[in-house]
Amino acid sequence: MIDQEGWLSTGDIVKFDDEGLIHIVDRKKDMILVSGFNVYPNEIEDVIALHGKVLEVAAIGQPNEASGEVVKIYVVKRDPSLTKEDIIEHCREHLTGYKVPKLVEFREDLPKTNVGKILRRVLREENDAKLKAE
């Protein structure tokens, strides 16, 4: 629905570049809020995907009493020797401190749509169910 000012709310988070072009950064529903800072999963995933030992990655926010949420990532290894420490070190080199994942879970595969898009929603639901069971 278009609001009174003529804006259509799609849930997309965008940035305007110096030339006035719009770039879609992420989806509002996927945004992670760490100590009041907005963290976009795509940014985290793009950095981690640059690591040569990573095949696939997905980032979500996990509830945390101290900071609201922390970044949790799910990783499919390209190289079996990949460790949590390798990923965290890589992230510390390329991301601001509050964006560095606090939780890393390795998986054989990630849930996807029929066209191959990773389903963060499914990961969030699984994570929430796991937290409730604990």
Side-chain angles (χ1 to χ4, degrees):
M1 172 176 260
I2 298 175
D3 69 16
Q4 292 177 356
E5 296 176 9
W7 288 95
L8 174 65
S9 180
T10 63
D12 293 312
I13 297 177
V14 301
K15 291 190 312 189
F16 289 93
D17 67 14
D18 294 339
E19 297 174 5
L21 298 174
I22 297 173
H23 300 271
I24 297 174
V25 177
D26 221 317
R27 302 275 304 150
K28 185 174 181 179
K29 67 181 178 186
D30 291 335
M31 187 176 61
I32 303 165
L33 194 60
V34 179
S35 298
F37 294 100
N38 295 340
V39 178
Y40 303 109
N42 283 342
E43 179 184 4
I44 309 289
E45 294 165 359
D46 289 348
V47 165
I48 296 170
L50 293 174
H51 194 292
K53 294 182 179 182
V54 171
L55 180 62
E56 293 181 310
V57 61
I60 67 165
Q62 177 169 305
N64 179 273
E65 287 185 26
S67 62
E69 289 183 304
V70 293
V71 177
K72 178 175 184 175
I73 59 169
Y74 295 88
V75 178
V76 177
K77 297 179 182 184
R78 179 183 311 276
D79 181 329
S81 69
L82 179 67
T83 66
K84 173 184 175 180
E85 292 74 24
D86 293 336
I87 293 171
I88 300 300
E89 181 180 325
H90 175 76
C91 289
R92 284 192 177 127
E93 291 175 18
H94 300 283
L95 295 168
T96 306
Y98 65 90
K99 296 179 182 180
V100 174
K102 302 292 184 246
L103 304 164
V104 178
E105 184 175 317
F106 292 106
R107 293 221 169 162
E108 293 298 315
D109 57 14
L110 297 174
K112 295 184 185 103
T113 65
N114 292 336
V115 294
K117 184 174 189 257
I118 295 172
L119 291 167
R120 289 186 195 131
R121 174 186 48 80
V122 171
L123 293 170
R124 276 192 304 272
E125 289 169 358
E126 290 175 4
N127 191 59
D128 290 347
K130 185 177 177 182
L131 290 173
K132 284 180 183 176
E134 291 177 352

